[in-house]
Amino acid sequence: MGILHLVNRSPHESQTLIQCLERAGEGDSILLLESGVYAALKDGVFAPKLAEAMRHLPVYVLREDLEARGIAIEEICAEVSVTDYEGFVDLSVMFSPIQSWF
Amino acid sequence: MIQINGAPWSNEGCGSAYQFVRAALRKGHEIILVFFYHDGAYNGLRMIPPQDEQTLTQRWSILAAEYGIDLVVCISAAHRRGLLEEEAGRAGPAEGFRIAGLGLWVDACLRADRFLSFGG
Amino acid sequence: MLMTVAAFDQTVRVLFLDDGVFQLKAGQRPQVLDFRPIAPMFEALEIYGIEELWVESESLSERGLEPQGLILPVHQIDRREVGRFIAAADIVVGG
């Protein structure tokens, strides 16, 4: 089973997304939550980095945290899968261990 | 098994943890322990609630009453923050919370299938 | 926390990543700022049976550190191996 990486900080003020991407491997998955969802903005500077990562590993983003920040689905990278808290629970069953990048 | 490290008024992870735990319970999963560590200890405090909104602490209490989950504030984290002193109107843990040590944390880690930590 | 886990006879591996490696830098004198030194705590880990201290090689080299400049002997691991290292654990307490 692969690792579920949880990235909750904005890539604009924290290195955790980059730190995670450098270590995540085949079979892993990343969930962006809280201010981590800012990384998924398709016109943002982190979109190319995320797109490159998504060639190897799936990236999810939490719908509730997008909505809370006024980010529409159209504003995020098309390859990123949108999920909700129920989906987050399912992901935590599908993957192990679960690593929070603080 | 869930660990919460942040304080409710300054760390969004406390809310995320609550949403996650509620979703997991609704889907029929078992939550063995919610452990409030470091500044997370502030979540389990009995506080004067604001009139116009429900606090996260109150929502945890309601969830505990509904599902019987174990909400544990780390004793050393609480002690360091002066949360265990009885004077000054501090009345200890909020409804549905209890105070215990890291031994409980290890025990829950060993029994649980998954460990998630929030609020860093 | 590490010591509590070890007291339960569990295998504990400690991995230092990114700025985490600075914790092991030799010659730290936090006393000048009235902070408690952390070196004795790391040195005590061995007594608790925690002998597996790992550092990521790239985290060290990016910061101009070398294994000889650390307070304890450590195992080294390459960045590309870190994912597999983490995946081998039942529980990851990070951050």
Side-chain angles (χ1 to χ4, degrees), chain B residues 34-57:
Chain B
V34 183
F35 194 75
F36 296 86
Y37 200 34
H38 304 298
D39 276 356
Y42 289 115
N43 286 275
L45 263 190
R46 201 177 283 278
M47 281 181 283
I48 302 157
Q51 306 256 318
D52 54 343
E53 59 177 318
Q54 202 173 37
T55 65
L56 194 53
T57 301

Side-chain angles (χ1 to χ4, degrees), chain C residues 44-82:
Chain C
L45 288 178
E46 198 182 347
I47 300 164
Y48 287 84
I50 302 172
E51 288 160 1
E52 289 213 35
L53 300 185
W54 293 76
V55 297
E56 186 194 63
S57 307
E58 288 87 343
S59 294
L60 277 186
S61 59
E62 285 166 2
R63 288 162 182 78
L65 300 179
E66 290 183 0
Q68 302 90 286
L70 305 180
I71 52 172
L72 290 169
V74 292
H75 301 280
Q76 285 197 67
I77 182 171
D78 290 338
R79 183 160 291 168
R80 60 192 161 77
E81 301 292 335
V82 166

